[in-house]
């Protein structure tokens, strides 16, 4: 297993002669939730498509768990803003569908029905478990037209994670949801992070590694443990967008109050560095995540020690 869930090395992308992405370098550790922000049209979705393997970059290299991305593959999952579920399948069938395609076949159904049924049972149990983890334990039998937008996005998230990818890409996943649902789904991500911390403590590989694009700066800092910002402004746009911001951010647990005043300074810094063309030309000024990594570890340790115990 590689040290990194995702590695991007010297990635450039152009559409025709128009430069979009310029010299992107990024390493993501297993179990990180990384939020990506940047002005509309700067290339965030283009970068996600390159990582997904559907749109190879013009130059550079992308590795997931140490293996080069050469097309869509099992290591990477994605959830879009409006993920289309199969209308004729229940939540549980939608979630287990990928496993079914992967691990069973028509021939198996005809020639080895017992094996097929055993597999089906296993897939159903896994799907039910994942639906439970995303807060839909009671909705396994519901069809998409019986679910709210927030429920459908949860199904889509479960669908992506059940395939055990090394990283899941979320492209503005909660953009179409109303505020209350958006908050619920943010809490879901905080719960994933807690599961990751527990896994690490117990020496297991954390299950949820996420790179999430969002337009909401509060959301970025609230749900992630690290924020990166993409911007074309470092060279007035003539070479494309690069990473101009990469810093750890405060870690919240699901029980914490949604107190955004805790990170107001960081949000201002992020907004100026990434969205204000007058503010920054020094592209590396805020690309300090690896230097600051120990502060993130302290941050996580403080959160863990502040968790309420059963006796409290
Ligand atoms: N297939 C394509 N052919 C040519 N240009 C494209 C193509 N896809 C995207 N672009 C251009 O590349 C640039 C980056 O697009 P992209 O969708 O990656 O931006 P984005 O940061 O995700 O924007 P948004 O925040 O609005 O979703 C835009 O200028 C867009 O017009
Ligand atoms: Mg986009």
């Amino acid at each position: 297993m590689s040290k990194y869930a995702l590695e991007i090395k010297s990635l450039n992308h152009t559409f025709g002669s128009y430069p979009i992405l310029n010299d992107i370098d990024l390493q993501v550790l297993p179990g990180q939730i990384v939020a990506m922000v940047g002005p509309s049209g700067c290339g965030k979705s283009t970068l996600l498509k390159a990582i997904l393997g559907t749109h190879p970059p013009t130059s550079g290299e992308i590795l997931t768990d140490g293996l080069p991305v050469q097309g869509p593959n099992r290591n990477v999952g994605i959830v879009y803003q409006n993920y289309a579920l199969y209308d004729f399948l229940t939540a549980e069938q939608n979630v287990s569908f990928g496993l079914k395609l992967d691990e069973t076949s028509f021939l198996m159904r005809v020639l080895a029905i017992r094996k097929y049924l055993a597999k089906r049972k296993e897939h159903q149990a896994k799907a039910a478990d994942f639906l439970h983890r995303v807060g839909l334990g009671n909705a396994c039998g519901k069809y998409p037209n019986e679910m709210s937008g927030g429920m459908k996005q949860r199904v889509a998230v479960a669908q992506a994670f059940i395939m055990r990818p090394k990283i899941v890409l979320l492209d503005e996943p909660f953009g179409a949801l109303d505020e209350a649902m958006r908050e619920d789904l943010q809490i879901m991500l905080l719960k994933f992070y807690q599961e990751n911390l527990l896994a690490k403590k117990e020496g297991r590989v954390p299950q949820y590694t996420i790179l999430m694009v969002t337009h909401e700066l509060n959301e970025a800092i609230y749900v992630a443990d690290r924020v990166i910002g993409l911007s074309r402004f470092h060279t007035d746009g003539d070479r494309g967008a690069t990473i101009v911001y990469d810093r750890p951010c405060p870690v919240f647990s699901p029980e914490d109050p949604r107190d955004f005043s805790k990170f107001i300074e960081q949000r201002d810094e992020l907004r100026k560095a990434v969205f204000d063309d007058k503010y920054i030309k020094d592209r590396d000024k805020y690309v300090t995540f690896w230097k600051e990594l120990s502060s993130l570890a302290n941050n996580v340790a403080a959160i863990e020690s502040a968790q309420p115990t059963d006796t409290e």
Side-chain angles (χ1 to χ4, degrees):
M1 196 182 126
S2 164
K3 180 178 170 191
Y4 301 117
L6 172 71
E7 262 183 290
I8 300 177
K9 297 180 187 170
S10 310
L11 181 147
N12 292 278
H13 196 68
T14 54
F15 282 121
S17 59
Y18 187 60
I20 304 291
L21 297 171
N22 169 237
D23 197 19
I24 305 270
D25 280 296
L26 179 69
Q27 298 91 30
V28 175
L29 295 165
Q32 284 206 294
I33 298 188
V34 182
M36 175 160 62
V37 299
S40 186
C42 76
K44 303 179 295 295
S45 296
T46 303
L47 181 58
L48 293 195
K49 287 174 193 164
I51 299 168
L52 188 63
T54 53
H55 296 60
T58 310
S59 66
E61 200 180 5
I62 302 174
L63 309 169
T64 52
D65 196 23
L67 297 173
V69 171
Q70 284 161 340
N73 69 89
R74 286 286 297 269
N75 278 352
V76 189
I78 192 161
V79 178
Y80 300 100
Q81 189 176 103
N82 283 310
Y83 194 86
L85 303 177
Y86 296 108
D87 283 333
F88 53 92
L89 298 180
T90 63
E92 178 254 290
Q93 288 164 339
N94 262 291
V95 174
S96 60
F97 192 66
L99 291 176
K100 183 177 172 178
L101 283 185
D102 213 45
E103 296 179 11
T104 67
S105 64
F106 178 71
L107 266 190
M108 187 184 195
R109 191 172 182 161
V110 175
L111 300 176
I113 185 78
R114 274 179 187 219
K115 197 171 161 198
Y116 172 82
L117 290 175
K119 273 279 169 206
R120 198 175 73 171
K121 213 169 170 187
E122 183 191 316
H123 295 164
Q124 283 169 343
K126 273 190 189 167
D129 175 49
F130 256 96
L131 284 167
H132 180 75
R133 287 194 218 186
V134 298
L136 287 182
N138 296 326
C140 291
K142 283 197 189 304
Y143 286 89
N145 65 8
E146 300 171 309
M147 291 188 264
S148 68
M151 290 165 84
K152 283 192 255 192
Q153 275 309 74
R154 286 170 193 263
V155 174
V157 168
Q159 220 175 28
F161 277 109
I162 202 168
M163 302 308 290
R164 306 247 163 207
K166 301 298 176 195
I167 188 162
V168 166
L169 313 173
L170 304 178
D171 199 351
E172 299 183 48
F174 314 143
L177 304 179
D178 67 37
E179 198 53 31
M181 273 186 202
R182 195 173 181 133
E183 286 176 15
D184 282 351
L185 280 147
Q186 290 168 353
I187 298 287
M188 176 188 77
L189 295 184
L190 297 186
K191 286 183 180 159
F192 285 173
Y193 197 75
Q194 295 294 316
E195 279 194 48
N196 283 346
L197 294 180
L198 185 66
K200 279 191 227 169
K201 232 184 204 173
E202 295 176 354
R204 291 180 284 118
V205 179
Q207 195 171 347
Y208 306 98
T209 307
I210 295 173
L211 178 59
M212 163 173 145
V213 171
T214 174
H215 275 120
E216 251 287 323
L217 301 193
N218 282 331
E219 177 172 273
I221 300 175
Y222 177 58
V223 302
D225 63 355
R226 172 182 183 187
V227 177
I228 60 175
L230 215 57
S231 166
R232 299 179 67 87
F233 300 143
H234 64 294
T235 57
D236 297 320
D238 61 359
R239 278 194 276 144
T242 199
I243 293 175
V244 296
Y245 192 97
D246 183 358
R247 292 199 60 198
C249 55
V251 173
F252 283 76
S253 82
E255 296 79 24
D256 288 338
R258 290 168 63 81
D259 184 2
F260 297 161
S261 65
K262 276 187 178 172
F263 52 73
I264 208 159
E265 278 176 27
Q266 184 168 17
R267 193 186 56 213
D268 279 354
E269 174 188 89
L270 178 64
R271 187 175 50 71
K272 285 181 184 156
V274 180
F275 293 90
D276 188 342
D277 61 345
K278 294 181 286 306
Y279 186 69
I280 182 175
K281 293 285 180 269
D282 175 4
R283 61 179 261 184
D284 290 331
K285 185 171 173 189
Y286 294 113
V287 181
T288 51
F289 175 79
W290 294 102
K291 273 191 227 153
E292 293 185 88
L293 188 57
S294 58
S295 75
L296 176 63
N298 293 338
N299 193 345
V300 167
I303 290 283
E304 282 178 340
S305 62
Q307 291 295 309
T309 61
D310 291 342
T311 53
E312 278 176 327

